[in-house]
Amino acid sequence: MRVLLAGGAGYIGTHTAIALLEAGHEPVLLDDLSNTSDVVTDRIAEITGTRVPLITGDAADDEVVESAFDAHGPFDAIIHFAALKAVGESVAKPLEYYANNLDTTYALLRVGLARGIRSFVFSSTGTVYSDPADLPFTEEATRNLVELSNPYSKSKLMNEVALTDIQAVNPEVNVTLLRYFNPVGAHASGLVGEDPKGIPNNLMPFVARVAVGALPEIGIFGDDYDTPDGTGLRDYIHVVDLAEGHVAALEKAQPGLASYNLGTGNPVSVRGLIESFERAVGHELPKSVKPRRAGDLAATYCSPEKAERELGWKATRTIDDMTASVWNWQQKNPSGYAG
C-alpha cells in the first residue's frame, strides 16, 4: 500500500513511517519542517534500509498536495498528522490553530478524493472527550464542542464532524479517526524521537531535557488532586505502539467511518512517570510543586478495547519501556536532531 503521510517527518509520523516500512508498505512524507528536520529521512534509512521520499511544503496548500500525487502517486491512503498541537499555545493563537488544523484537512481531502484515495486516517486526540465522568473514555463518550477548554481540542473535534459529513457522501471511502492518549517514547535505536522546538509543552520531553541538563527542574502542576499520590493521572502510550496502531487501522480499513481510542487504559500519575524516568537515569531529578494549571483534569484515560477487538491491536509497552527509550534517545541526541 502506498501511503501519503502529511506531517510525516514529525514525531509520530516518523515512527509510523518506520512501522509502515516494516509491514511492507510504501510511505511518502509531506512536511513543512516547521517542527522537525529533514535529517529524519537519513535516520529512517539507517533503521530500515529504505530511503523514503520527502516533499517539503504546506499540507494546507492544494498545489503542494497535488505535487506529491504527481511525483509519487497514486496513493492508496492518506494519514493526516499535519497539525499544530500545543494546548496552551492554541489558547493564545486560536486563529492560527483553526486555520492550520482545518485547512490541512480540507486540502488533503480535496486533492485526495479527486485522485481516488480509498482510505483517510485522521490523527485526532483523546481531549475531544468533554465529560470526565465518562472515565474510562470509550469511543461513545461525551463530545461537546462548547465544553472543550481550548482551540486545539475544538479544532480536532471540528475535523471529526467535517470528516463524518464528507464520508457520508463518499461511501466508498474509509475514514478512520484515531484518538491518541499522550504519546511518549522513542524508537529502540535511539535514532528517532521527540524533538520539540524551544521549551517543551509536554511532560516527558520536559523531564528528558531536565535529565540531560538543558533545563533546571521539573514542574509538577498540582499535587492535591483526588488521585492516589495527588498528581494528575494520564494514559501514556509508547509512540511505537501508536505507530503500529496506524498500520493496523490501514490494513483493517473498510468503507465507512470508524473511530478508535489508542491508549493503554492504564493511567500513570505525573509523579509515577517522573519516578520511572529517574529509574532509567539512575538518580533523582530536581523538581518542585507548582500551582495547578487552568483546564487540567485530575485524570484522563481510555478504554482501548474496541481497537483490540476490531483492529487486533493492543499497546504492549510499559511506562518503564517508554521512559527508558526516551532516555536512550536523549542521551544519544542531547540537542535533538540539531546534534
Side-chain angles (χ1 to χ4, degrees), residues 125-144 147-148 153 160 178-182 233-236 259-267 295-307 309 313:
T125 171
T127 65
V128 298
Y129 298 120
S130 54
D131 188 347
D134 291 342
L135 287 171
F137 295 125
T138 67
E139 287 76 8
E140 291 72 39
T142 306
R143 297 180 301 284
N144 186 327
E147 292 181 357
L148 298 179
S153 301
E160 288 198 11
L178 298 180
R179 297 172 184 150
Y180 306 166
F181 284 77
N182 298 89
L233 291 172
R234 297 294 180 265
D235 192 339
Y236 297 101
S259 59
Y260 298 100
N261 291 330
L262 296 186
T264 67
N266 299 308
D296 278 356
L297 301 176
T300 176
Y301 57 97
C302 74
S303 167
E305 292 178 2
K306 183 181 177 184
R309 184 174 65 251
W313 170 89

Side-chain angles (χ1 to χ4, degrees), residues 3-329:
V3 187
L4 179 63
L5 276 59
Y11 172 48
I12 300 171
T14 302
H15 288 85
T16 301
I18 293 167
L20 286 166
L21 287 166
E22 290 173 343
H25 302 292
E26 301 175 58
V28 174
L29 313 184
L30 168 60
D31 204 295
D32 66 3
L33 302 181
S34 60
N35 197 37
T36 186
S37 166
D38 59 5
V39 170
V40 299
T41 57
D42 297 328
R43 305 290 182 95
I44 292 170
E46 188 172 346
I47 292 167
T48 66
T50 301
R51 179 165 292 279
V52 297
L54 169 63
I55 300 95
T56 303
D58 186 353
D61 185 331
D62 288 43
E63 291 185 1
V64 171
V65 182
E66 290 275 9
S67 72
F69 275 80
D70 291 341
H72 300 286
F75 293 107
D76 302 292
I78 294 173
I79 303 180
H80 178 12
F81 300 109
L84 301 174
K85 63 177 184 176
V87 169
E89 183 182 63
S90 77
V91 176
K93 300 179 178 179
L95 179 57
E96 184 176 343
Y97 268 70
Y98 287 124
N100 181 84
N101 292 2
L102 293 167
D103 287 349
T104 49
T105 302
Y106 301 151
L108 290 166
L109 283 169
R110 276 192 297 266
V111 177
L113 291 172
R115 294 293 191 101
I117 63 151
R118 287 294 176 265
S119 189
F120 190 92
V121 177
F122 178 64
S123 171
S124 191
T125 171
T127 65
V128 298
Y129 298 120
S130 54
D131 188 347
D134 291 342
L135 287 171
F137 295 125
T138 67
E139 287 76 8
E140 291 72 39
T142 306
R143 297 180 301 284
N144 186 327
L145 187 67
V146 298
E147 292 181 357
L148 298 179
S149 63
N150 62 84
Y152 165 72
S153 301
K154 291 177 181 179
S155 74
K156 290 293 188 176
L157 185 53
M158 291 164 73
N159 267 301
E160 288 198 11
V161 171
L163 286 165
T164 300
D165 292 342
I166 292 164
Q167 195 285 324
V169 296
N170 294 276
E172 74 285 359
V173 176
N174 167 266
V175 171
T176 302
L177 313 173
L178 298 180
R179 297 172 184 150
Y180 306 166
F181 284 77
N182 298 89
V184 297
H187 192 268
S189 65
L191 289 170
V192 296
E194 188 171 12
D195 183 24
K197 305 296 184 185
I199 296 175
N201 290 291
N202 296 325
L203 177 61
M204 183 74 92
F206 197 101
V207 173
R209 295 278 178 89
V210 172
V212 82
L215 291 171
E217 69 172 9
I218 304 160
I220 298 173
F221 294 97
D223 65 348
D224 57 351
Y225 288 104
D226 185 17
T227 62
D229 67 9
T231 65
L233 291 172
R234 297 294 180 265
D235 192 339
Y236 297 101
I237 177 173
H238 199 298
V239 68
V240 176
D241 279 327
L242 186 66
E244 292 169 353
H246 289 76
V247 177
L250 278 180
E251 293 181 342
K252 296 285 187 178
Q254 298 293 325
L257 178 83
S259 59
Y260 298 100
N261 291 330
L262 296 186
T264 67
N266 299 308
V268 174
S269 73
V270 169
R271 283 197 186 277
L273 182 146
I274 295 169
E275 289 167 359
S276 175
F277 209 103
E278 289 172 335
R279 289 193 293 272
V281 174
H283 59 79
E284 288 192 14
L285 298 172
K287 49 191 172 290
S288 66
V289 176
K290 301 180 183 301
R292 292 188 187 189
R293 293 179 301 192
D296 278 356
L297 301 176
T300 176
Y301 57 97
C302 74
S303 167
E305 292 178 2
K306 183 181 177 184
E308 183 176 4
R309 184 174 65 251
E310 296 187 7
L311 302 180
W313 170 89
K314 183 178 181 179
T316 61
R317 294 163 178 87
T318 67
I319 190 64
D320 285 344
D321 295 330
M322 300 176 209
T323 55
S325 69
V326 172
W327 182 229
N328 180 44
W329 149 259

